[in-house]
Amino acid sequence: MTRKSLNRKLRLIYVLFAGVLALALAAKLGPHVPEANRAFPLALANDIYEFLRDMAVLIITVAAAYLANVFQKRSAFVDSLRQEWRAIVQTKSALIAFCEKQFPTTEDYLSAYRAISEAIDNMRIVYRNVGETDSLVGLYPYAPLHDMRRALMTLDPRQTSKHAPPDRDLVKDAVLQTFYALRENFLDELDLEEPTTPLTASVSRRMKTSGTTNPARREQKQQIEAYERAQSARPDVDALLSDLYYREQAADHARAQTTGRVEGEHVRRPQAPPPVAEDATRRATGRKRSG
């Protein structure tokens, strides 16, 4: 269900609800207006109001079910639209990759042609043709896909055994141009919004500095002390991981000092492992070096 169809159905619901509320209000207040009372019998007004009040739950239930069905169709349509767009993006990438190959084979061409052919035909499960009737085929809703197909067909290895690089570059530019035109119109149906915190700077960098809060640092310290008190099955592994962590933290701290952004974090070097673990680590390192 397109956005246009959704808005049309929602307007219908709004008009019907407004009509029902206006009728209920007129039936309720009509007896208190002398002119309306003479034109509209009091008994009939009371009957209409009582009927609408008794049927209020049913009316709301039917309207809610109808709205749920409408939004469910809209959600399914948007999901299909997103799947089709992902297929189109993959197709564009396949065509560009084919054009970038210096010596494309027939298999490469058939793979790219299959991608564009599937993207064209899968559009049928999303949109019908523009101007299609019971007797007229109509127009394909997004002609740039066919432009991509026709441009690709000029590089068919079965027709010409060799294509010059300028020919492939021209086809690549044609694919990109048609893809950009398709993107401007195809994505409009998805109701995309601007991000809340966009990052539009071309030369961007991280603005936060390394570090954490004191409670988080205390919790980390407590966990480290708990690990040091507990007996480890592989002290050599613990020593290796601790030393690597220290080296990484020290390198980050030195880099921060060089760039003038010192975080001021306290990097605590791990405790030295037991002698047995040191010997095991040294022997493992020696075996690796000797190998």
Side-chain angles (χ1 to χ4, degrees):
M1 179 178 292
T2 63
R3 188 193 314 121
K4 182 179 179 181
S5 299
L6 176 64
N7 292 336
R8 185 172 60 248
K9 294 181 182 298
L10 290 180
R11 283 195 298 268
L12 177 61
I13 291 293
Y14 297 152
V15 170
L16 291 177
F17 259 95
V20 171
L21 291 177
L23 181 60
L25 183 62
K28 181 64 174 179
L29 300 180
H32 301 281
V33 180
E35 293 78 5
N37 194 13
R38 289 192 295 268
F40 203 71
L42 178 59
L44 182 58
N46 291 332
D47 291 342
I48 293 176
Y49 179 77
E50 292 294 335
F51 174 78
L52 293 177
R53 188 179 64 177
D54 295 340
M55 299 296 293
V57 176
L58 179 60
I59 294 174
I60 294 175
T61 302
V62 172
Y66 180 77
L67 288 175
N69 181 57
V70 168
F71 285 111
Q72 183 178 5
K73 289 182 178 179
R74 172 64 180 176
S75 178
F77 172 76
V78 172
D79 289 342
S80 299
L81 208 62
R82 288 171 177 163
Q83 293 177 6
E84 176 64 9
W85 177 246
R86 294 189 183 99
I88 292 175
V89 172
Q90 294 174 358
T91 299
K92 183 264 300 183
S93 300
L95 299 184
I96 296 300
F98 176 81
C99 295
E100 291 290 345
K101 290 185 177 181
Q102 187 175 3
F103 301 105
T105 63
T106 302
E107 288 75 14
D108 296 331
Y109 170 79
L110 293 178
S111 178
Y113 189 88
R114 175 184 177 182
I116 186 63
S117 178
E118 290 178 351
I120 291 174
D121 289 334
N122 286 337
M123 189 68 69
R124 308 294 183 182
I125 65 174
V126 181
Y127 292 109
R128 62 182 299 178
N129 284 350
V130 179
E132 181 178 357
T133 64
D134 294 337
S135 59
L136 299 176
V137 175
L139 301 175
Y140 190 76
Y142 289 100
L145 288 177
H146 280 290
D147 290 334
M148 293 182 188
R149 174 185 57 81
R150 286 188 285 265
L152 175 66
M153 292 175 66
T154 62
L155 300 179
D156 190 349
R158 298 170 298 181
Q159 303 297 329
T160 303
S161 58
K162 184 178 180 181
H163 293 280
D167 297 334
R168 298 197 299 271
D169 292 340
L170 180 60
V171 172
K172 181 179 67 175
D173 293 340
V175 169
L176 290 176
Q177 176 178 313
T178 53
F179 174 78
Y180 295 147
L182 174 63
R183 183 174 61 185
E184 288 184 0
N185 294 271
F186 192 89
L187 296 182
D188 183 66
E189 184 64 42
L190 292 179
D191 296 329
L192 300 178
E193 298 182 359
E194 294 183 1
T196 304
T197 56
L199 185 59
T200 59
S202 58
V203 184
S204 56
R205 61 184 181 274
R206 185 177 182 179
M207 300 302 295
K208 293 183 178 181
T209 59
S210 299
T212 185
T213 60
N214 291 330
R217 184 62 64 193
R218 286 194 297 269
E219 182 178 359
Q220 182 191 44
K221 182 180 178 180
Q222 293 174 0
Q223 292 178 358
I224 293 176
E225 292 174 350
Y227 284 132
E228 291 175 349
R229 290 193 301 268
Q231 184 177 2
S232 175
R234 292 295 304 272
D236 53 339
V237 173
D238 294 343
L240 173 63
L241 296 179
S242 299
D243 186 64
L244 292 175
Y245 173 76
Y246 167 77
R247 292 176 184 273
E248 184 179 72
Q249 294 294 314
D252 292 341
H253 189 73
R255 190 181 306 111
Q257 288 179 329
T258 303
T259 58
R261 299 176 64 185
V262 180
E263 289 78 0
E265 285 191 15
H266 175 67
V267 182
R268 185 165 80 80
R269 190 178 184 89
Q271 294 182 356
V276 177
E278 287 186 351
D279 296 341
T281 304
R282 191 177 301 110
R283 289 196 299 272
T285 306
R287 286 197 299 271
K288 291 182 179 179
R289 290 179 179 176
S290 62

